[in-house]
Short mmCIF file of all heavy atoms in Angstrom, two decimals:
data_model
loop_
_atom_site.label_atom_id
_atom_site.label_comp_id
_atom_site.label_asym_id
_atom_site.label_seq_id
_atom_site.Cartn_x
_atom_site.Cartn_y
_atom_site.Cartn_z
N CYS H 347 -33.87 -0.38 -75.47
CA CYS H 347 -35.06 -1.16 -75.87
C CYS H 347 -34.74 -1.81 -77.20
O CYS H 347 -35.07 -1.29 -78.27
CB CYS H 347 -36.28 -0.25 -75.96
SG CYS H 347 -37.81 -1.14 -76.31
N THR H 348 -34.06 -2.95 -77.13
CA THR H 348 -33.54 -3.59 -78.34
C THR H 348 -34.35 -4.80 -78.77
O THR H 348 -33.90 -5.60 -79.59
CB THR H 348 -32.07 -4.00 -78.13
OG1 THR H 348 -31.99 -4.81 -76.97
CG2 THR H 348 -31.20 -2.79 -77.94
N GLY H 349 -35.55 -4.98 -78.19
CA GLY H 349 -36.39 -6.11 -78.57
C GLY H 349 -35.99 -7.38 -77.84
O GLY H 349 -34.91 -7.47 -77.25
N ARG H 350 -36.87 -8.36 -77.86
CA ARG H 350 -36.59 -9.60 -77.15
C ARG H 350 -35.39 -10.35 -77.71
O ARG H 350 -34.73 -11.11 -77.01
CB ARG H 350 -37.83 -10.50 -77.19
CG ARG H 350 -38.99 -9.94 -76.38
CD ARG H 350 -40.23 -10.81 -76.49
NE ARG H 350 -41.34 -10.24 -75.72
CZ ARG H 350 -42.57 -10.74 -75.69
NH1 ARG H 350 -42.85 -11.83 -76.40
NH2 ARG H 350 -43.50 -10.16 -74.98
N ASP H 351 -35.09 -10.09 -79.00
CA ASP H 351 -33.92 -10.75 -79.59
C ASP H 351 -32.67 -9.89 -79.50
O ASP H 351 -31.59 -10.30 -79.92
CB ASP H 351 -34.19 -11.12 -81.05
CG ASP H 351 -34.51 -9.90 -81.92
OD1 ASP H 351 -34.46 -8.76 -81.41
OD2 ASP H 351 -34.79 -10.09 -83.12
N GLY H 352 -32.79 -8.69 -78.96
CA GLY H 352 -31.65 -7.81 -78.78
C GLY H 352 -31.12 -7.18 -80.05
O GLY H 352 -30.04 -6.59 -80.05
N LYS H 353 -31.88 -7.23 -81.14
CA LYS H 353 -31.36 -6.78 -82.43
C LYS H 353 -31.93 -5.45 -82.91
O LYS H 353 -31.56 -4.96 -83.97
CB LYS H 353 -31.63 -7.87 -83.48
CG LYS H 353 -30.92 -9.18 -83.21
CD LYS H 353 -31.23 -10.22 -84.28
CE LYS H 353 -30.51 -11.54 -83.99
NZ LYS H 353 -30.83 -12.58 -85.02
N SER H 354 -32.85 -4.88 -82.15
CA SER H 354 -33.45 -3.63 -82.58
C SER H 354 -32.59 -2.43 -82.21
O SER H 354 -31.65 -2.54 -81.41
CB SER H 354 -34.84 -3.47 -81.95
OG SER H 354 -35.70 -4.51 -82.35
N GLN H 355 -32.92 -1.27 -82.76
CA GLN H 355 -32.20 -0.04 -82.44
C GLN H 355 -32.38 0.26 -80.96
O GLN H 355 -33.50 0.30 -80.47
CB GLN H 355 -32.73 1.11 -83.30
CG GLN H 355 -32.04 2.44 -83.05
CD GLN H 355 -32.46 3.50 -84.06
OE1 GLN H 355 -32.30 3.31 -85.26
NE2 GLN H 355 -32.98 4.62 -83.57
N PRO H 356 -31.31 0.52 -80.22
CA PRO H 356 -31.41 0.64 -78.77
C PRO H 356 -32.16 1.87 -78.28
O PRO H 356 -32.83 1.82 -77.25
CB PRO H 356 -29.95 0.68 -78.31
CG PRO H 356 -29.19 1.15 -79.52
CD PRO H 356 -29.91 0.60 -80.69
N LEU H 357 -32.04 3.00 -78.97
CA LEU H 357 -32.75 4.23 -78.63
C LEU H 357 -33.59 4.65 -79.83
O LEU H 357 -33.22 4.37 -80.98
CB LEU H 357 -31.77 5.34 -78.26
CG LEU H 357 -30.76 5.05 -77.14
CD1 LEU H 357 -29.80 6.22 -76.98
CD2 LEU H 357 -31.46 4.76 -75.83
N VAL H 358 -34.68 5.36 -79.58
CA VAL H 358 -35.57 5.71 -80.70
C VAL H 358 -34.92 6.70 -81.66
O VAL H 358 -35.31 6.80 -82.82
CB VAL H 358 -36.91 6.27 -80.20
CG1 VAL H 358 -37.67 5.25 -79.38
CG2 VAL H 358 -36.73 7.56 -79.41
N THR H 359 -33.94 7.44 -81.18
CA THR H 359 -33.18 8.32 -82.06
C THR H 359 -31.71 8.27 -81.65
O THR H 359 -31.40 8.03 -80.48
CB THR H 359 -33.71 9.78 -81.98
OG1 THR H 359 -32.94 10.60 -82.86
CG2 THR H 359 -33.61 10.33 -80.56
N LEU H 360 -30.83 8.45 -82.60
CA LEU H 360 -29.40 8.35 -82.34
C LEU H 360 -28.67 9.51 -83.01
O LEU H 360 -29.22 10.17 -83.90
CB LEU H 360 -28.84 7.01 -82.86
CG LEU H 360 -29.36 5.74 -82.17
CD1 LEU H 360 -28.95 4.51 -82.97
CD2 LEU H 360 -28.81 5.65 -80.75
N ASP H 361 -27.46 9.74 -82.58
CA ASP H 361 -26.64 10.79 -83.17
C ASP H 361 -25.18 10.37 -83.01
O ASP H 361 -24.82 9.77 -81.99
CB ASP H 361 -26.90 12.14 -82.50
CG ASP H 361 -26.27 13.30 -83.23
OD1 ASP H 361 -25.03 13.48 -83.12
OD2 ASP H 361 -27.00 14.03 -83.92
N LYS H 362 -24.35 10.71 -83.99
CA LYS H 362 -22.93 10.31 -83.91
C LYS H 362 -22.20 10.93 -82.74
O LYS H 362 -21.13 10.47 -82.34
CB LYS H 362 -22.23 10.65 -85.22
CG LYS H 362 -22.18 12.12 -85.55
CD LYS H 362 -21.49 12.36 -86.89
CE LYS H 362 -21.43 13.84 -87.24
NZ LYS H 362 -20.79 14.07 -88.56
N LYS H 363 -22.78 12.00 -82.16
CA LYS H 363 -22.14 12.64 -81.01
C LYS H 363 -22.37 11.86 -79.72
O LYS H 363 -21.77 12.18 -78.69
CB LYS H 363 -22.65 14.08 -80.88
CG LYS H 363 -22.20 14.96 -82.04
CD LYS H 363 -22.78 16.36 -81.99
CE LYS H 363 -22.32 17.14 -83.22
NZ LYS H 363 -22.94 18.49 -83.30
N LEU H 364 -23.23 10.85 -79.75
CA LEU H 364 -23.40 9.95 -78.61
C LEU H 364 -22.31 8.87 -78.68
O LEU H 364 -22.55 7.73 -79.06
CB LEU H 364 -24.78 9.29 -78.63
CG LEU H 364 -25.93 10.06 -77.98
CD1 LEU H 364 -26.32 11.25 -78.83
CD2 LEU H 364 -27.13 9.16 -77.78
N ASP H 365 -21.10 9.26 -78.33
CA ASP H 365 -19.98 8.34 -78.47
C ASP H 365 -19.47 7.82 -77.13
O ASP H 365 -18.42 7.18 -77.06
CB ASP H 365 -18.83 9.01 -79.23
CG ASP H 365 -18.35 10.31 -78.58
OD1 ASP H 365 -18.88 10.65 -77.49
OD2 ASP H 365 -17.47 10.97 -79.15
N ALA H 366 -20.24 8.09 -76.04
CA ALA H 366 -19.86 7.57 -74.72
C ALA H 366 -21.13 7.31 -73.93
O ALA H 366 -21.64 8.17 -73.22
CB ALA H 366 -18.97 8.58 -73.99
N ILE H 367 -21.66 6.10 -74.08
CA ILE H 367 -22.93 5.73 -73.45
C ILE H 367 -22.72 4.52 -72.55
O ILE H 367 -22.12 3.51 -72.96
CB ILE H 367 -24.01 5.39 -74.49
CG1 ILE H 367 -24.28 6.59 -75.39
CG2 ILE H 367 -25.30 4.94 -73.81
CD1 ILE H 367 -24.88 7.79 -74.69
N VAL H 368 -23.19 4.60 -71.31
CA VAL H 368 -23.19 3.47 -70.39
C VAL H 368 -24.55 2.79 -70.48
O VAL H 368 -25.59 3.42 -70.23
CB VAL H 368 -22.94 3.93 -68.94
CG1 VAL H 368 -23.01 2.73 -67.99
CG2 VAL H 368 -21.59 4.62 -68.83
N SER H 369 -24.56 1.53 -70.88
CA SER H 369 -25.81 0.79 -71.01
C SER H 369 -26.17 0.07 -69.72
O SER H 369 -25.31 -0.55 -69.08
CB SER H 369 -25.71 -0.24 -72.14
OG SER H 369 -26.85 -1.08 -72.16
N CYS H 370 -27.44 0.15 -69.33
CA CYS H 370 -27.93 -0.54 -68.13
C CYS H 370 -28.81 -1.72 -68.49
O CYS H 370 -29.59 -2.20 -67.65
CB CYS H 370 -28.68 0.44 -67.24
SG CYS H 370 -27.66 1.79 -66.63
N GLY H 371 -28.72 -2.19 -69.73
CA GLY H 371 -29.44 -3.40 -70.09
C GLY H 371 -30.63 -3.16 -70.99
O GLY H 371 -31.05 -2.03 -71.24
#
Side-chain angles (χ1 to χ4, degrees):
C347 185
T348 55
R350 292 177 181 176
D351 60 3
K353 297 180 180 179
S354 298
Q355 180 172 302
L357 305 175
V358 298
T359 180
L360 295 168
D361 191 284
K362 63 182 180 181
K363 293 175 182 176
L364 274 72
D365 57 3
I367 300 295
V368 177
S369 172
C370 298

